[in-house]
Amino acid sequence: DIVMTQSPDSLAVSLGERATINCKSSQSVLSTSNNKNYLAWSQQKPGQPPKLLIYWASTRASGVPDRFSGSGSGTDFTLTISSLQAEDVAVYYCHQYYSAPLIFGGGTKVEI
Amino acid sequence: EVQVVESGGGLVQPGGSLRLSCAVSGFTFGSSWMSWVRQAPGKGLEWVANINQDGGEKHYVDSVRGRFTISRDNAVHSMFLQMNSLRADDTAVYYCARGGWPPDFWGQGTLVTVSS
């Protein structure tokens, strides 16, 4: 199984500042057949279900603000929140969908 | 509007069984992979299983394979999770989600508690 490792476990960022979350997979999630990274990011606010933010490592899901961006390829990925807003307080999960079982990272808690 | 609504959770004794249901609307269910994802109290997300559009392809996490069965009925826009031989470590909120690769829209979840 692919292991997903996120860092840091938590971070505190001032309003308007940048937040950066890292995710590393134990093996590449880049498909050579279509050159796509099978890596997604989801956000879970307190008391709510998860919400998909990013898929294919860098494609924003519908309605996701452009302050959220994803980057990386192969085994190393990053989620960046360019200017943190109060409503961005949440736990963020990376997850691979290259192969079953789909695996989530341990989560990164973002606080103000 | 996409809606995904789970039901069937509750308290069950170790070794018991439970059947979760997921009713959907607002999208073409018969054209969508579907997934179950769970979250133990205070813990992270764990993918449980997914199923393809006609139910002919299913995948499970190792910890539930042989005990849980995912299924769907496209005629009534519903997905199910039959859970047998339940253990304490199956205690979690179980989310139904549209999509399989990856899940892209989750319901509010239903709580399953396995305890004597």
Side-chain angles (χ1 to χ4, degrees):
Chain A
D1 297 355
I2 298 174
V3 176
M4 307 300 293
T5 304
Q6 282 184 239
S7 63
D9 292 337
S10 64
L11 75 161
V13 178
S14 300
L15 289 173
E17 296 300 305
R18 178 185 300 259
T20 301
I21 301 169
N22 299 302
C23 176
K24 189 174 185 68
S25 58
S26 61
Q27 62 190 74
S28 177
V29 297
L30 172 64
S31 171
T32 55
S33 64
N34 60 9
N35 202 38
K36 288 182 180 292
N37 287 283
Y38 285 64
L39 188 284
W41 292 93
S42 292
Q43 173 196 62
Q44 187 176 31
K45 296 181 180 181
Q48 295 186 19
K51 173 188 174 184
L52 182 68
L53 292 179
I54 302 279
Y55 58 98
W56 298 134
S58 61
T59 302
R60 275 187 298 276
S62 176
V64 174
D66 61 6
R67 64 180 180 274
F68 291 93
S69 64
S71 63
S73 184
T75 61
D76 292 279
F77 301 91
T78 299
L79 175 70
T80 301
I81 310 172
S82 60
S83 177
L84 193 78
Q85 305 299 303
E87 61 266 31
D88 301 334
V89 168
V91 179
Y92 294 84
Y93 296 91
C94 65
H95 45 116
Q96 69 84 16
Y97 53 102
Y98 183 84
S99 63
L102 281 67
I103 299 291
F104 290 85
T108 295
K109 186 174 185 179
V110 174
E111 300 172 304
I112 303 294
Chain B
E1 179 192 6
V2 174
Q3 291 197 335
V4 173
V5 180
E6 304 91 339
S7 60
L11 175 64
V12 60
Q13 292 188 336
S17 299
L18 213 54
R19 188 188 194 219
L20 305 183
S21 299
C22 172
V24 313
S25 61
F27 65 96
T28 308
F29 180 72
S31 299
S32 302
W33 277 80
M34 295 293 295
S35 301
W36 288 100
V37 177
R38 68 184 178 183
Q39 187 169 35
K43 302 297 185 182
L45 301 171
E46 180 184 34
W47 175 82
V48 174
N50 62 15
I51 186 169
N52 77 336
Q53 291 86 343
D54 65 6
E57 184 176 348
K58 306 172 185 179
H59 301 274
Y60 298 92
V61 68
D62 281 351
S63 60
V64 309
R65 187 175 291 113
R67 300 188 299 123
F68 291 10
T69 302
I70 190 171
S71 63
R72 64 190 295 161
D73 185 340
N74 288 347
V76 294
H77 300 104
S78 295
M79 180 178 67
F80 309 98
L81 187 68
Q82 177 66 44
M83 303 186 295
N84 299 330
S85 303
L86 283 161
R87 312 184 305 218
D89 62 357
D90 294 317
T91 294
V93 173
Y94 284 73
Y95 295 104
C96 168
R98 180 186 67 180
W101 313 90
D104 65 10
F105 188 92
W106 283 263
Q108 293 294 315
T110 187
L111 176 62
V112 172
T113 303
V114 184
S115 175
S116 55

